[in-house]
Amino acid sequence: MTVTLRAAVPTDAGEISRLYAQSWRAAYPGLVPQSYLDELQDHHWTQTVADWITTGRFTALLAFEKEVMAGCAIYGRAREEKYEGWGELVSLYVMPGRFRKGYGSRLVQRMVQEMKAQGLSGCYLWVLDGNRRARAFYEKAGFEDTGETLAFTLADAPLLDCRYRMEFKPR
């Protein structure tokens, strides 16, 4: 399998949003309200992703197998003051049917390389509490559960995110 990685450009935003929506519908049944997943449109994140890429607020890194987008990671400098000098993995999704084939690992490895090259101290992310597959993936990649949680509501349902982080070792 030949995987290529490249930075996204604003015109990729629609395809990234479609990948995210399809991933949500495949990965989150039983974790988020089914009514939300049923109503989720492929273009839901298009404008947000386009804005992030256009302004440079975040990097969107794409993984391709041949010419087909297989995954995407969006990351950048931490948004929380508490983590000044750190990076944040905002999102990581892989196309359904391509889970557990190494795309996510390649995206995380490149992201970590880039964050280290920028002199960042580490990286954190939020993951849905009940998402066992994602939590196991991040733990295998070297992230640790901090025990911090963030409660939020989606489609009138209370949900909980858990923070994971990876501190970069000084060279």
Side-chain angles (χ1 to χ4, degrees), residues 43-82:
H43 65 272
H44 180 80
W45 290 279
T46 301
Q47 190 60 55
T48 300
V49 170
D51 290 347
W52 285 345
I53 294 169
T54 300
T55 63
R57 174 60 186 102
F58 294 111
T59 296
L61 182 64
L62 307 176
F64 288 87
E65 183 177 347
K66 298 181 182 171
E67 301 297 317
V68 178
M69 186 185 299
C72 178
I74 295 182
Y75 55 91
R77 291 194 169 270
R79 293 179 281 186
E80 293 180 51
E81 202 172 294
K82 172 182 178 179

Side-chain angles (χ1 to χ4, degrees), residues 125-157:
L125 59 94
W126 292 101
V127 62
L128 197 57
D129 182 36
N131 192 344
R132 290 186 186 101
R133 179 177 29 214
R135 292 180 73 160
F137 168 81
Y138 291 122
E139 289 168 7
K140 185 176 179 185
F143 287 86
E144 296 178 351
D145 186 348
T146 66
E148 296 171 88
T149 59
L150 176 67
F152 65 102
T153 303
L154 183 67
D156 296 325

Side-chain angles (χ1 to χ4, degrees), residues 3-22:
V3 177
T4 57
L5 302 179
R6 75 162 170 83
V9 296
T11 56
D12 292 318
E15 191 172 356
I16 292 167
S17 182
R18 185 177 67 80
L19 178 147
Y20 279 25
Q22 290 182 11

Side-chain angles (χ1 to χ4, degrees), residues 83-96:
Y83 279 91
E84 186 175 338
W86 279 61
E88 177 182 0
L89 176 56
V90 175
S91 61
L92 172 68
Y93 290 103
V94 172
M95 189 64 79

